[in-house]
Amino acid sequence: MQGGEYGELGGSLPAIASLNASYSTSLTLPSPYLLVPPAERKAVSDVRRTFCLFVTFDLLFITLLWIIELNVTGPILDNLEDQVIRYNFKSSFFDIVVLALFRFLCLQIGYAAFRLKHWWVVAVSTLVTSVFLVVKVIISELLSKNAFGYVLPITSFVVAWLETWFLDFKVLTQEADNDRAYLAAVNAACERAPMIYPRPVSDGQFYSPPESVADSDEDLDEEGLGRKAVTFQEKEYVRQGREAMSVVEQILTQEENWKFEKNNDMGDSVYTLEIPYHGKTFILKGLMQCPAEFVYQEVILQPEKMVQWNKTVSVCQILQRVDDNTLVTYDVSAGAAGGVVSARDFVNVRRVERKRDCYMSAGMATNHDAKPPCGRYVRGENGPGGFVVLKSSSNPSVCTFIWVLNTDLKGRLPRYLIHQSLAATMFEFMSHLRQRITDLRPSHHHHHHHHHHHHT
């Protein structure tokens, strides 16, 4: 049996994962960025949000000063009429407020609505402000009226230049840094991937290279073999599949950060992990008393057969096989929490890979023309997640099963209720899976003991 030599070579995944985790922290990168593509990290970065707040403050502050000024010299309504209706460039402050409004609209449209990454908008608004104020101060007779003759133009001038400085030195540089860090992290993750899952040394029947789904006959129907993604849409499915796979791999390497939630009497545990952008992810981990190949066949390779034994799913059909590793499926979940959570439907892209001592299927929500959202079900949306089956290096007749679930069930239910029901659904799934394995191999207990003696 290859088990022995293979244990010495690779060791178990967690050991490599923890080694890998210490390696990844030595890269001085913000780790959350490892998980999400730049476009989706945050719609608006924190510095940009602060900038937009400051722009709003600018408008409100100038307006406030102007209102105070109106009130200083007499009844507010007379002054308002004097400055707005009988507007005069030399003696009226109203244009400074209009200028502040102009800055506000320019900057909010440019940097909040369109999220530009260039300084030209702020350059225009500050230039216009500066020129206007200089001209105003030279020509006008404001200074003779009262102290506000000084305060309003000076404040406007200072605030406009502060905006320029803040955008140029803080917002744009920090966003560029974040993007660089993200790219560096992605490259690092790509280079590290072989470390997490070493390539096969001996090509036994179980270990085919990660790129290919294995060569056994029952893996995929004949028509699925040798496919390539051709159209833009197919390439997009493959890209989404790879993205989901990389997030699941990242989650596996962060096992020491998983937060324990609850366990059942079979020894399965549910953990959670907050991941950026996608939020709370549930992770079920359990030990199965059967070889990894069994679980791989049942859960990963034949999703459409799952309905026969998995009562938590009422429909599962394959909409499209994109390439050898990628497929698009349509799933309908049965209701949960005693009918409080009604049935949901999902369209997912799934990527299947088989690595040296683990089988993986990872996926996330996508769209497919064959199944647009319909009125019958609320369309749920899955973040990156999937199934992982890890072989045991010491005992080939047991394996570890991990289910990573990140889902947004939409609808109007309070989140804590959904989280309660998800853990229950995961445990229920495990009991169905165990039952299925038992049904498939009636003599399995006998085998298991026999193997055990054999190894000790």
Side-chain angles (χ1 to χ4, degrees), residues 11 17 21 66 87 131-132 139 193 235 250 291 341 345 380 387 413 433 443:
W66 180 60
Y87 167 78
V131 172
F132 184 89
I139 295 181
K235 290 190 170 134
Q250 283 295 337
V341 183
D345 69 346
F387 301 112
L413 292 166
L433 177 57
S443 60

Side-chain angles (χ1 to χ4, degrees), residues 12-25:
S12 60
L13 180 98
I16 300 175
S18 59
L19 184 153
N20 170 55
S22 60
Y23 169 66
S24 68
T25 46

Side-chain angles (χ1 to χ4, degrees), residues 229-301:
V230 186
T231 64
F232 173 75
Q233 178 63 67
E234 289 176 339
K235 290 190 170 134
E236 182 58 18
Y237 286 142
V238 172
R239 188 196 64 74
Q240 286 179 312
R242 286 182 192 276
E243 186 187 315
M245 184 63 78
S246 74
V247 174
V248 170
E249 291 182 346
Q250 283 295 337
I251 290 170
L252 291 180
T253 61
Q254 296 193 34
E255 187 162 355
E256 67 272 22
N257 301 329
W258 296 358
K259 181 168 157 284
F260 174 79
E261 297 290 331
K262 46 175 72 152
N263 56 3
N264 65 6
D265 25 353
M266 292 300 294
D268 306 325
S269 308
V270 169
Y271 303 87
T272 53
L273 178 69
E274 289 286 341
I275 65 170
Y277 188 70
H278 297 288
K280 186 172 270 199
T281 296
F282 286 77
I283 303 152
L284 172 101
K285 185 175 181 184
L287 188 68
M288 302 287 299
Q289 301 294 333
C290 70
E293 285 66 37
F294 268 66
V295 186
Y296 174 56
Q297 283 294 339
E298 287 305 312
V299 180
I300 295 181
L301 285 186

Side-chain angles (χ1 to χ4, degrees), residues 7 24 36 113 119 127 142 214 252 260 304 330 336 370 375 410 422 441:
S24 68
V36 265
W119 44 260
L127 184 71
L142 295 176
L252 291 180
F260 174 79
E304 67 278 32
Y330 174 70
K410 304 293 181 190
L422 282 182
R441 24 182 343 205

Side-chain angles (χ1 to χ4, degrees), residues 309-312 425 427-437 439:
W309 55 268
N310 177 8
K311 300 292 179 286
T312 62
T425 304
F427 286 142
E428 189 189 335
F429 170 84
M430 278 307 269
S431 72
H432 293 315
L433 177 57
R434 287 207 167 86
Q435 187 56 50
R436 170 72 171 177
I437 300 287
D439 295 348

Side-chain angles (χ1 to χ4, degrees), residues 48-60:
R48 187 172 288 249
R49 207 174 54 233
T50 311
F51 173 77
C52 295
L53 272 175
F54 187 75
V55 172
T56 312
F57 160 78
D58 166 21
L59 175 67
L60 295 176

Side-chain angles (χ1 to χ4, degrees), residues 92-348:
S92 177
F93 285 116
F94 180 57
D95 45 17
I96 295 187
V97 178
V98 172
L99 188 65
L101 185 66
F102 160 78
R103 272 200 310 275
F104 174 80
L105 290 173
C106 277
L107 297 173
Q108 294 286 25
I109 290 170
Y111 296 114
F114 287 107
R115 306 196 191 122
L116 297 177
K117 287 192 177 288
H118 196 279
W119 44 260
W120 69 266
V121 181
V122 81
V124 169
S125 75
T126 303
L127 184 71
V128 170
T129 301
S130 304
V131 172
F132 184 89
L133 288 174
V134 169
V135 174
K136 175 103 176 160
V137 168
I138 293 172
I139 295 181
S140 70
E141 307 151 357
L142 295 176
L143 311 185
S144 56
K145 283 181 79 175
N146 57 37
F148 281 92
Y150 302 93
V151 175
L152 265 170
I154 290 174
T155 317
S156 289
F157 195 82
V158 170
V159 168
W161 277 97
L162 274 177
E163 282 164 356
T164 312
W165 169 81
F166 189 75
L167 185 90
D168 201 34
F169 277 79
K170 283 276 184 285
V171 180
L172 298 182
T173 50
Q174 188 155 343
E175 288 188 344
D177 283 351
N178 288 354
D179 287 346
R180 266 204 304 281
Y182 170 76
L183 288 171
V186 166
N187 294 337
C190 295
E191 287 161 18
R192 283 210 310 273
M195 240 185 98
I196 311 175
Y197 305 106
R199 290 284 165 93
V201 184
S202 59
D203 264 330
Q205 65 183 103
F206 292 156
Y207 327 124
S208 58
E211 276 63 70
S212 70
V213 182
D215 322 311
S216 83
D217 303 343
E218 51 249 300
D219 278 7
L220 291 170
D221 6 336
E222 290 308 322
E223 49 116 355
L225 293 172
R227 279 171 186 263
K228 285 271 178 288
V230 186
T231 64
F232 173 75
Q233 178 63 67
E234 289 176 339
K235 290 190 170 134
E236 182 58 18
Y237 286 142
V238 172
R239 188 196 64 74
Q240 286 179 312
R242 286 182 192 276
E243 186 187 315
M245 184 63 78
S246 74
V247 174
V248 170
E249 291 182 346
Q250 283 295 337
I251 290 170
L252 291 180
T253 61
Q254 296 193 34
E255 187 162 355
E256 67 272 22
N257 301 329
W258 296 358
K259 181 168 157 284
F260 174 79
E261 297 290 331
K262 46 175 72 152
N263 56 3
N264 65 6
D265 25 353
M266 292 300 294
D268 306 325
S269 308
V270 169
Y271 303 87
T272 53
L273 178 69
E274 289 286 341
I275 65 170
Y277 188 70
H278 297 288
K280 186 172 270 199
T281 296
F282 286 77
I283 303 152
L284 172 101
K285 185 175 181 184
L287 188 68
M288 302 287 299
Q289 301 294 333
C290 70
E293 285 66 37
F294 268 66
V295 186
Y296 174 56
Q297 283 294 339
E298 287 305 312
V299 180
I300 295 181
L301 285 186
Q302 305 172 334
E304 67 278 32
K305 283 198 189 161
M306 219 188 248
V307 190
Q308 299 167 12
W309 55 268
N310 177 8
K311 300 292 179 286
T312 62
V313 175
S314 57
V315 178
C316 180
Q317 66 191 78
I318 294 179
L319 298 179
Q320 182 182 348
R321 290 192 183 277
V322 183
D323 66 11
D324 288 354
N325 299 53
T326 315
L327 52 146
V328 181
T329 61
Y330 174 70
D331 313 88
V332 179
S333 69
V340 179
V341 183
S342 61
R344 298 282 190 270
D345 69 346
F346 302 90
V347 172
N348 296 319

